[in-house]
């Protein structure tokens, strides 16, 4: 528990004055027992009296309005809704239930001129006549809580502002009297209840509503000793031993403040306590003490009045008031105290500057700083306090701590005021610390820099001296060219490169790193941080040596630049005291190590060099910083620059074939590639693939040849055909010539090239690839496979596949197949036995099928002829007894059709003059029309000889096509309709 006694850090931060009240209007304040309650809000103070009258006091303490709020009972509780014209009053008459009213002060009744009463409500307490001991309400008046002396709490819910009804419910009952009620709003609305022996919480809306009250503390408080801190929404409870805070998660840290408490409220950052003098404190055994009841109040009794800052733990004001305090009211930025004798005292907080002066007089600078931070003072005002604190510590000869305060206030302090204090040799370390901080804050002048260098020299701190010399922003005191030349001649290459970089001589920096220091990776890292035009110049100048020493990173730099994606590398993140990487190998490790070394050697372009840490003392003198640099990635677009033609970089890759291939491949994939550059890139890459393949063995050779083949595959490859043929011929790359012939549609020539070279597997691949588009390849393949026993053995099952394809597509007649196979005498009957047997079986089955079809057609034709003959020569008997339309018995006149269907003449809807030949059976007319349409189409198609020729070309079986069209009458032979 944090102790806060009455004697620790007590101040007079408030000015006290008695309010001068108008004589004609202040009499009601001095009448004993007249004023029963007081509240403030909306720039006014409201007094409720025992006769039910409400008086509204202005800032001049004049009664601007008074009205009769209640006819009976004394107004014991009020609440003014801040920012509105609403006032809630409660009047009590122990013979009746308390009456609650809501007033609209801005709406006046026409007859009386009094404010309009929005709603009236009787507060229930189970018909038990006990006084109200506590009252609280939400700002929107949607919920009100009333606590009674019998331990009951009633919650009122509803729209009291618009008088739309309200519901009351007793939410809590106890044997102890209720001494305080406060709301805490948030996701849930919680009601804090204090009794004489407990502190409890009750959720009245939101999650957990309906659950019984939860006990927070087994100690209660007296009436008037509970309040709410509106800034934190915590409930503040005053007991005799301490001030307690109750928040969302329970009780917080209490602040010990011994003594009897009679009243508490929260004003700004202070807790206001009213305590009776010890002589007037009741014995603890008095049971009425907790309810504020004791010996009769006397106007001559004094009260102890205290304003307490519990967070910073000091007493802002304390005094003894000659009369007992009746009410505490906060309004217009001041605190007002109404005493029992009718006097009003104003407590006005001193200006912040005066409070600081009080603290300065007592050397309480830490408290002053804390108060300034809590008050939200700007940094310049806080720095004034820090500087005063530093002066105080300096006078006490606490130089180290004083310097810390000066460093914190460095932004608003005149440096000379501090420097003069630490010019003594014994305090030179403090002076160095201050001067270094001046440079870090960019507030140092040339005189400060000179003084700092003299301090380094006096202490012989060579490492810090060199680190400071290499820091950015120093003015040069000597000729640059001479200094650089002397450094190079004397072997101080690091210093020379540093000076050249510092003054923008980028070409000289690269020259020193490559020609003198032989630090190729560092040189490449430096080039990568230059502007595009400068980087390109240096890259082309030293491309050969950089590709030799740092091939991978140099190639990537070429790719980025020629692809239009070059971005100068930006700031690096420097992590002090990280071990430096070593090694000069190729790859990403080189780049990382190079940046490490370069960051320590000289300030990189676009690099925050102030973050580079110097080597720890005790290490050998070196320009390499033990710092780890991690390159940052940015989403900024590439700077605009003219992308050179890729051909300009070809000469740099002499003797670096692999890097050249990587460069060419990346350029081809670039989105910024121009059409006129594609021919050079594709042709050169194709040549490099073939060149690399010629230097490799079987497995790797095949891989590179596949890359070359993929490069020239397709129809839109920007490589001239003659170049492909020439390069393929020079490199003995047969796939290249094949691809050219394939693109030109010379599939038969490709197949013939394989057969001419006796490349059976190549011929099989060509047959499978081009056979579906070029059926003539299958007869040629049949002749090739049977040209020699070795080829036939290598072909294997492919011969059967060729025979099957020829048979399925009818590419050759069986007799032609036999003739082809018998030319060389290589194939045997056993090889074609399956083909012949399948062919013979199929033809036999086809002959049998045709014969059955012929017999079927003949029998159908004979039957049709016999039926026609009978219809023409023999009588027909009609036996139908019902009409096929209406299904009724037939009666004359009746119409019979030769299809054996009979109808009433009336059902056919025929006119008498219609000829019999034009009448058709309704049931058979649809079928007859279909037959006639088919016949008509056959007759018309018989005259379309072009359709006949087209069908003959497309058909596999020409004889079948001729037979079909012969039946249609294409030959001019047909039956009459």
């Amino acid at each position: 528990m944090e102790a806060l006694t009455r004697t620790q850090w007590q101040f007079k931060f408030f000015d006290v004055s008695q309010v001068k009240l108008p004589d004609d209007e202040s009499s009601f304040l001095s009448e004993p027992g007249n004023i029963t309650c007081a509240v403030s809000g909306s720039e006014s103070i409201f007094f409720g009296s025992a006769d039910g009258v409400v008086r509204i006091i202005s800032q001049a303490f004049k009664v601007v309005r008074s009205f009769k709020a209640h006819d009976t009972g004394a107004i014991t509780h009020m609440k003014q809704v801040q920012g509105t014209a609403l006032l809630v009053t409660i009047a009590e008459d122990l013979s009746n239930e308390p009456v609650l009213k809501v007033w609209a002060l801005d709406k006046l009744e026409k007859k009386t001129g009094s404010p309009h009463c929005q709603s009236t409500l009787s507060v229930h307490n189970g018909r038990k006549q006990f006084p109200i001991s506590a009252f609280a309400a939400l700002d929107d008046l949607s919920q009100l809580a009333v606590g009674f002396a019998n331990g009951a709490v009633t919650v009122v819910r509803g729209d009291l502002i618009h008088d739309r009804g309200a519901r009351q419910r007793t939410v809590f009952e106890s044997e102890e009297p209720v001494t305080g009620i406060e709301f805490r709003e948030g996701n849930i609305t919680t009601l804090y209840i204090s009794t004489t022996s407990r502190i409890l919480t009750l959720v009245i809306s939101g999650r957990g509503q309906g659950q019984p009250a939860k006990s927070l503390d087994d100690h209660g408080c007296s009436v008037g000793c509970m309040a709410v801190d509106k800034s934190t929404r915590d409930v503040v409870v005053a007991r005799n031993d301490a001030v307690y805070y109750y928040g969302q998660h329970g009780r917080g840290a209490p602040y010990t403040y011994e003594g009897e408490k009679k009243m508490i409220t929260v004003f700004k950052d202070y807790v206001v306590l009213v305590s009776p003098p010890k002589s007037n404190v009741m014995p603890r055994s008095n049971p009425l003490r907790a309810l504020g009841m004791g010996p009769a109040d006397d106007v001559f009794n004094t009260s102890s009045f205290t304003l307490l800052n519990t967070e910073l733990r000091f007493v802002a004001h304390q005094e003894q008031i000659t009369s007992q305090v009746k009410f505490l009211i906060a309004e217009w930025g001041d605190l007002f105290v109404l005493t029992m004798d009718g006097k009003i005292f104003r407590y006005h907080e001193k200006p912040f500057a005066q409070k600081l002066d009080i603290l300065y007089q007592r050397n309480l600078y830490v408290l002053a700083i804390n108060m300034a931070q809590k008050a939200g003072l700007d940094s310049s005002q806080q720095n004034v306090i820090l500087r005063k604190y530093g002066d105080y510590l300096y006078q006490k000869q606490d130089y180290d701590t004083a310097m810390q305060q000066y460093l914190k206030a460095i932004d608003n302090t005149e440096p000379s005021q501090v420097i003069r204090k630490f010019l003594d040799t014994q305090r030179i370390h403090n002076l160095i610390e201050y001067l270094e901080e001046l440079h870090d804050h960019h507030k140092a002048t040339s005189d400060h820099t000179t003084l700092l260098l003299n301090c380094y020299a006096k202490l012989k701190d060579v490492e810090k001296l060199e680190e400071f010399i290499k820091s950015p922003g120093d003015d040069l005191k000597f000729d640059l060219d001479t200094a650089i030349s002397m450094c190079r001649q004397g072997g101080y290459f690091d210093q020379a490169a540093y000076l050249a970089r510092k003054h923008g001589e980028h070409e000289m920096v690269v020259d020193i790193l490559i020609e003198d220091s032989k630090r190729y990776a560092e040189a490449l890292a430096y080039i990568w941080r230059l502007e595009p035009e400068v980087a390109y110049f240096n890259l082309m100048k030293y491309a050969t040596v950089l590709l030799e020493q740092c091939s991978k990173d140099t190639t990537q730099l070429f790719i980025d630049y020629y692809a239009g994606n070059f971005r100068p590398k930006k700031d690096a993140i420097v992590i002090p005291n990280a071990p430096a990487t070593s090694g000069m190998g190729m790859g990403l490790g080189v780049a990382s190590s190079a940046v490490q070394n370069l960051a320590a050697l000289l300030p990189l372009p676009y690099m925050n060099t102030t973050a580079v840490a110097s080597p720890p003392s005790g290490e050998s003198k070196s320009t390499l910083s033990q710092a780890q640099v991690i390159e940052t990635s940015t989403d900024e677009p590439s700077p605009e620059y003219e992308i050179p033609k890729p051909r300009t970089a070809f000469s740099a890759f002499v003797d670096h074939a692999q890097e050249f291939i990587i460069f060419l491949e990346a350029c081809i994939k670039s989105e910024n590639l121009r059409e006129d550059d594609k021919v050079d890139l594709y042709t050169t890459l194709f040549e490099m693939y073939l060149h690399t393949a010629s230097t490799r063995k079987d497995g790797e050779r095949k891989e590179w040849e596949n890359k070359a083949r993929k490069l020239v595959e397709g129809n839109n490859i920007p490589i001239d055909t003659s170049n492909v043929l020439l390069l393929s011929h020079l490199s003995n790359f047969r796939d290249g010539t094949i691809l050219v012939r394939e693109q030109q549609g010379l599939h038969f020539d490709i197949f013939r090239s394989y057969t001419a070279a006796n490349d059976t597997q190549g011929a099989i691949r060509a047959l499978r690839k081009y056979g579906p588009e070029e059926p003539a390849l299958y007869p040629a393949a049949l002749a090739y496979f049977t040209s020699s026993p070795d080829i036939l053995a290598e072909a294997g099952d492919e011969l059967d596949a060729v025979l099957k394809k020829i048979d399925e597509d009818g590419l050759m007649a069986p007799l032609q197949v036999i003739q082809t196979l018998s030319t060389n005498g290589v194939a045997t009957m056993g090889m074609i036995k399956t083909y012949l047997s399948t062919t013979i079986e199929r033809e036999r089955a086809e002959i049998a099928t045709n014969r059955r079809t012929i017999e079927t057609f003949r029998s159908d034709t004979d039957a049709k002829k016999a039926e026609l003959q009978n219809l023409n020569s023999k009588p027909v008997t009609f036996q139908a007894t019902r009409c096929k339309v209406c299904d009724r018995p037939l009666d004359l006149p009746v119409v019979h059709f030769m299809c054996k269907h009979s109808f009433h003449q009336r059902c056919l809807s025929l006119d008498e003059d219609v000829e019999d030949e034009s009448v058709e059976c309704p049931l058979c007319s649809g079928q007859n029309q279909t037959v006639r349409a088919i016949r008509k189409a056959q007759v018309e198609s018989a005259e379309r000889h072009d359709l006949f020729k087209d069908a003959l070309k497309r058909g596999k079986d020409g004889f079948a096509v001729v037979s079909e069209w012969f039946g249609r009458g294409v030959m001019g032979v047909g039956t009459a309709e």
Side-chain angles (χ1 to χ4, degrees):
M1 181 178 293
E2 301 184 43
L4 188 62
T5 65
R6 300 193 181 196
T7 59
Q8 181 182 7
W9 284 358
Q10 294 189 21
F11 307 102
K12 291 291 183 179
F13 282 169
F14 283 82
D15 295 325
V16 186
S17 62
Q18 183 176 350
V19 178
K20 294 182 179 180
L21 302 174
D23 296 335
D24 55 340
E25 297 181 356
S26 61
S27 58
F28 72 93
L29 295 175
S30 58
E31 295 178 8
N34 183 36
I35 301 303
T36 54
C37 64
V39 295
S40 63
S42 300
E43 301 297 323
S44 299
I45 294 178
F46 303 84
F47 289 109
S49 61
D51 56 359
V53 176
V54 175
R55 292 177 176 85
I56 303 176
I57 309 300
S58 67
Q59 190 170 2
F61 281 86
K62 292 183 178 181
V63 178
V64 296
R65 180 181 301 167
S66 63
F67 63 95
K68 184 74 170 179
H70 296 269
D71 294 332
T72 59
I75 300 176
T76 58
H77 295 83
M78 289 193 299
K79 177 179 177 61
Q80 202 285 325
V81 181
Q82 190 69 31
T84 70
L86 296 175
L87 178 68
V88 181
T89 61
I90 299 179
E92 289 187 80
D93 181 3
L94 292 181
S95 62
N96 298 298
E97 291 182 332
V99 177
L100 182 148
K101 292 185 179 182
V102 179
W103 301 90
L105 302 179
D106 57 345
K107 298 178 182 179
L108 303 179
E109 299 290 349
K110 293 183 180 180
K111 294 182 179 180
T112 62
S114 300
H116 176 70
C117 181
Q118 298 289 103
S119 59
T120 303
L121 178 73
S122 295
V123 182
H124 303 318
N125 185 20
R127 297 184 179 180
K128 300 174 183 178
Q129 303 302 323
F130 283 89
I132 296 176
S133 56
F135 170 69
L138 297 179
D139 288 338
D140 58 359
L141 301 183
S142 60
Q143 297 189 82
L144 299 88
V146 180
F148 294 90
N150 66 333
V153 176
T154 299
V155 172
V156 180
R157 292 186 177 91
D159 189 353
L160 297 176
I161 298 176
H162 302 95
D163 197 16
R164 295 176 180 173
R167 293 173 292 124
Q168 301 185 42
R169 186 165 68 92
T170 300
V171 297
F172 176 77
E173 291 181 330
S174 69
E175 296 180 357
E176 306 94 8
V178 174
T179 58
I181 290 179
E182 295 293 348
F183 281 104
R184 180 186 177 93
E185 292 186 271
N187 296 330
I188 59 175
T189 302
T190 306
L191 185 65
Y192 283 75
I193 305 171
S194 68
T195 68
T196 55
S197 61
R198 289 185 297 171
I199 303 292
L200 306 98
T201 59
L202 181 66
V203 178
I204 61 173
S205 65
R207 186 177 180 181
Q209 182 180 359
Q211 297 181 0
K214 178 182 177 183
S215 177
L216 287 183
D217 203 331
D218 291 335
H219 299 278
C221 67
S222 301
V223 172
C225 291
M226 174 184 279
V228 172
D229 187 347
K230 293 183 179 180
S231 62
T232 62
R233 296 189 296 180
D234 289 344
V235 174
V236 186
V237 174
R239 289 201 285 267
N240 292 346
D241 57 342
V243 176
Y244 296 84
Y245 285 85
Y246 296 89
Q248 186 176 3
H249 303 290
R251 194 178 82 174
Y255 293 88
T256 300
Y257 190 78
E258 296 286 347
E260 185 83 10
K261 281 86 172 176
K262 180 181 178 182
M263 194 180 301
I264 182 176
T265 188
V266 177
F267 174 67
K268 296 182 179 180
D269 295 332
Y270 305 101
V271 175
V272 183
L273 299 177
V274 177
S275 304
K278 294 183 178 180
S279 60
N280 291 338
V281 175
M282 290 185 194
R284 293 181 178 269
S285 60
N286 191 340
L288 299 178
R289 176 177 155 273
L291 283 174
M293 302 178 185
D297 293 331
D298 186 76
V299 294
F300 298 104
N301 289 340
T302 61
S303 297
S304 176
F305 179 77
T306 306
L307 285 97
L308 195 67
N309 190 316
T310 57
E311 181 176 354
L312 299 180
R313 301 193 298 278
F314 68 85
V315 176
H317 185 85
Q318 188 175 53
E319 67 172 318
Q320 298 294 325
I321 300 177
T322 57
S323 177
Q324 289 194 18
V325 175
K326 192 172 185 180
F327 298 109
L328 297 174
I329 307 169
E331 190 62 34
W332 307 303
D334 293 334
L335 181 66
F336 296 91
V337 176
L338 177 61
T339 61
M340 295 290 293
D341 55 2
K343 295 180 181 180
I344 298 179
F345 295 92
R346 181 196 304 268
Y347 289 80
H348 179 73
E349 189 174 11
K350 294 179 184 293
F352 196 81
Q354 293 185 17
K355 293 193 291 184
L356 288 180
D357 290 338
I358 295 174
L359 295 177
Y360 294 157
Q361 293 172 6
R362 299 173 61 174
N363 296 326
L364 296 176
Y365 295 98
V366 176
L367 180 57
I369 294 171
N370 292 335
M371 286 179 57
Q373 292 174 347
K374 185 172 179 58
L377 267 65
D378 58 33
S379 58
S380 61
Q381 293 174 304
Q382 294 186 34
N383 288 339
V384 172
I385 305 175
L386 291 169
R387 188 164 61 248
K388 289 181 177 293
Y389 187 28
D391 294 341
Y392 168 72
L393 294 171
Y394 182 85
Q395 293 175 359
K396 294 181 62 177
Q397 298 184 356
D398 188 356
Y399 302 116
D400 292 339
T401 309
M403 178 54 68
Q404 295 305 315
Q405 310 310 315
Y406 290 134
L407 292 177
K408 292 178 183 179
I410 197 169
D411 289 331
N412 303 99
T413 303
E414 173 59 37
S416 59
Q417 297 178 2
V418 179
I419 292 173
R420 283 196 297 266
K421 296 177 182 292
F422 293 91
L423 289 176
D424 192 336
T425 305
Q426 296 179 353
R427 296 189 286 275
I428 192 170
H429 290 285
N430 299 126
L431 180 60
I432 290 175
E433 186 179 10
Y434 188 77
L435 292 171
E436 288 177 343
E437 195 72 16
L438 280 177
H439 285 85
D440 291 342
H441 283 73
H442 305 286
K443 294 178 64 64
T445 64
S446 58
D447 293 336
H448 298 149
T449 304
T450 302
L451 180 59
L452 179 58
L453 293 176
N454 288 334
C455 292
Y456 286 149
K458 194 164 188 176
L459 294 178
K460 298 181 180 180
D461 194 340
V462 181
E463 292 180 357
K464 276 198 171 184
L465 180 62
E466 185 178 21
E467 177 187 351
F468 183 80
I469 290 174
K470 292 186 176 182
S471 62
D474 294 343
D475 294 330
L476 198 63
K477 301 297 190 297
F478 43 80
D479 183 71
L480 178 64
D481 294 334
T482 303
I484 293 177
S485 177
M486 292 179 61
C487 288
R488 296 183 72 173
Q489 291 177 7
Y492 297 101
F493 306 129
D494 295 350
Q495 289 80 354
Y498 167 77
L499 290 173
R501 162 64 194 104
K502 186 174 181 181
H503 296 277
E505 300 292 337
H506 304 301
E507 182 180 353
M508 189 175 293
V509 173
V510 178
D511 187 70
I512 295 171
L513 291 174
I514 292 178
E515 301 295 343
D516 298 333
S517 301
K518 308 299 180 185
R519 293 179 176 172
Y520 305 105
E522 286 86 337
L524 183 62
Y526 187 85
I527 292 173
W528 218 319
R529 284 157 175 78
L530 300 175
E531 292 297 326
E533 291 75 13
V534 182
Y536 178 69
F537 174 80
N538 286 280
L539 176 63
M540 297 304 297
K541 183 177 180 181
Y542 299 101
T544 303
V545 64
L546 290 176
L547 281 170
E548 184 69 30
Q549 301 296 331
C550 311
S551 57
K552 185 173 182 179
D553 293 330
T554 306
T555 304
Q556 186 61 47
L557 179 54
F558 266 104
I559 291 172
D560 289 350
Y561 199 90
Y562 279 85
N565 299 325
F566 176 77
R567 294 183 179 88
K569 292 191 175 179
K570 297 295 182 181
D571 295 357
I573 301 172
V574 181
I575 305 174
N577 302 324
T581 53
S582 60
M584 297 297 290
M586 295 173 58
L588 293 177
V590 172
S592 177
S593 176
V595 177
Q596 305 290 333
N597 298 336
L598 191 61
L601 169 65
L602 68 158
L604 295 175
Y606 306 107
M607 177 176 170
N608 183 10
T609 54
T610 59
V612 178
S614 62
S617 59
E619 296 183 3
S620 60
K621 179 181 178 182
S622 173
T623 58
L624 298 182
S625 172
Q626 302 298 312
Q628 181 179 357
V629 180
I630 303 173
E631 295 172 357
T632 59
S633 59
T634 61
D635 296 331
E636 298 179 4
S638 301
E640 294 184 3
Y641 61 92
E642 184 180 356
I643 303 175
K645 296 180 71 66
R647 175 176 288 276
T648 58
F650 288 0
S651 60
F653 288 92
V654 175
D655 298 330
H656 298 283
Q658 292 300 316
E659 289 76 13
F660 192 25
I661 290 174
I662 294 173
F663 170 74
L664 293 172
E665 290 175 341
C667 288
I668 288 176
K669 296 177 182 178
S670 173
E671 298 178 355
N672 300 319
L673 181 62
R674 295 185 290 265
E675 291 296 329
D676 56 342
D677 294 331
K678 287 185 178 180
V679 176
D680 290 341
L681 290 172
Y682 275 86
T683 304
T684 307
L685 182 59
F686 182 66
E687 181 181 1
M688 292 305 301
Y689 280 157
L690 297 180
H691 171 74
T692 306
S694 63
T695 61
R696 298 293 194 271
K697 294 184 180 180
D698 296 339
E700 294 184 7
R701 179 188 179 91
K702 194 69 176 176
E703 180 181 349
W704 286 103
E705 287 181 346
N706 288 336
K707 288 187 176 183
R709 183 172 59 256
K710 290 180 180 179
L711 187 65
V712 295
E713 286 179 347
N715 299 323
N716 299 319
I717 301 302
I719 304 180
D720 188 73
T721 303
S722 59
N723 288 335
V724 176
L725 291 175
L726 177 62
L727 294 173
S728 300
H729 175 72
L730 293 176
S731 300
N732 195 23
F733 180 55
R734 188 170 58 190
D735 288 353
T737 59
I738 292 174
L739 286 172
V740 173
R741 290 170 178 168
E742 180 180 325
Q743 292 170 358
Q744 296 179 350
L746 303 176
H747 299 157
F748 213 102
D749 291 348
I750 296 173
F751 181 79
R752 194 181 299 116
S753 67
Y754 283 116
T755 58
N758 289 331
D759 186 356
T760 304
Q761 295 300 321
I764 292 174
R765 289 195 300 271
L767 179 64
R768 292 175 178 174
K769 184 174 182 180
Y770 309 121
E773 300 177 8
E774 196 78 29
L777 291 179
Y778 291 100
L782 181 65
Y784 171 69
F785 290 157
T786 58
S787 61
S788 71
D790 294 337
I791 294 175
L792 182 61
E794 188 176 358
D797 296 337
E798 197 65 27
L799 178 63
D800 294 336
V802 171
L803 288 173
K804 183 178 179 181
K805 183 68 176 179
I806 291 173
D807 182 34
E808 291 177 351
D809 295 350
L811 301 177
M812 298 176 67
L815 183 59
Q816 291 176 313
V817 173
I818 298 300
Q819 290 174 350
T820 301
L821 296 177
S822 62
T823 302
N824 298 319
V826 176
T828 61
M829 286 299 295
M831 295 180 181
I832 61 173
K833 180 178 179 181
T834 303
Y835 165 74
L836 292 176
S837 61
T838 303
T839 303
I840 293 172
E841 289 294 333
R842 185 179 66 253
E843 291 185 352
R844 284 178 179 175
E846 185 177 353
I847 292 171
T849 302
N850 291 338
R851 285 177 177 174
R852 287 193 298 271
T853 304
I854 291 171
E855 289 298 328
T856 302
F857 286 165
R858 281 177 178 173
S859 62
D860 290 346
T861 302
D862 292 342
K864 294 296 182 181
K865 287 181 178 180
E867 184 178 354
L868 290 174
Q869 182 66 29
N870 291 336
L871 291 174
N872 289 329
S873 59
K874 293 181 181 181
V876 179
T877 303
F878 299 97
Q879 298 178 349
T881 60
R882 292 183 177 274
C883 175
K884 292 297 182 180
V885 175
C886 64
D887 200 29
R888 294 179 180 177
L890 293 172
D891 54 4
L892 296 178
V894 178
V895 179
H896 299 283
F897 291 96
M898 300 303 290
C899 59
K900 301 298 182 69
H901 295 150
S902 301
F903 305 88
H904 292 120
Q905 186 177 3
R906 63 178 179 272
C907 292
L908 295 179
S909 300
L910 298 178
D911 297 332
E912 294 181 357
D913 57 349
V914 176
E915 296 181 1
D916 294 342
E917 290 78 1
S918 63
V919 179
E920 282 188 293
C921 173
L923 299 180
C924 300
S925 62
Q927 183 177 0
N928 295 337
Q929 290 176 3
T930 302
V931 173
R932 283 195 294 271
I934 294 174
R935 180 56 185 161
K936 182 179 179 181
Q938 288 181 344
V939 173
E940 291 177 353
S941 63
E943 299 176 358
R944 297 288 301 278
H945 298 289
D946 55 338
L947 296 178
F948 168 68
K949 291 178 181 179
D950 184 63
L952 194 60
K953 289 180 181 179
R954 291 185 288 103
K956 296 181 180 180
D957 190 351
F959 182 75
V961 174
V962 172
S963 300
E964 179 184 356
W965 283 80
F966 180 78
R968 297 181 183 181
V970 74
M971 303 302 179
V973 179
T975 58
E977 293 188 13

